[in-house]
Amino acid sequence: MALSKLLVASLLASLLLLHLVDAYQPAFAPTQGTVLQQIDCNGACAARCRLSSRPNLCHRACGSCCRRCNCVPPGTAGNEDVCPCYANLTTHGGQHKCP
C-alpha cells in the first residue's frame, strides 16, 4: 500500500514538473539568425493611401496601425485577410481604425 502511494505521489510530482517546464518555455523562440524585419511603413502607407480622399488622415491612421502590426495589406483597400492584426484594430467607437 505504501509503495503504491509513493508511486502515485512521484507520478504527480513528475507531471507537475513537466507542466512547469512547459509553461516556462517562451511561446516563440527565434532560431539563430532569424531577425524580425520592420517594414517601411511610410512607403507601404503611401501606396495604401494614394487614392484616399483624405490622404493626411489616411497616412496617420495607416502609420499607427503599421507600427503596431508591422504589416499593411496590399492595394488601396480591402485585402485585410493578409494582415489580421491590421484588420482587427478598432477606434474607441468600435469602428475600423486602419484604412
Side-chain angles (χ1 to χ4, degrees), residues 13-27:
S14 298
L15 289 173
L16 178 64
L17 181 64
L18 284 173
H19 178 70
L20 289 175
V21 167
D22 187 46
Y24 179 72
Q25 302 228 347

Side-chain angles (χ1 to χ4, degrees), residues 55-87:
N56 291 336
L57 179 66
C58 183
H59 280 283
R60 188 172 63 230
C62 179
S64 174
C65 295
C66 178
R67 283 187 297 278
R68 283 188 187 173
C69 299
N70 195 37
C71 179
V72 174
T76 56
N79 300 320
E80 292 177 341
D81 57 326
V82 176
C83 187
C85 170
Y86 188 94

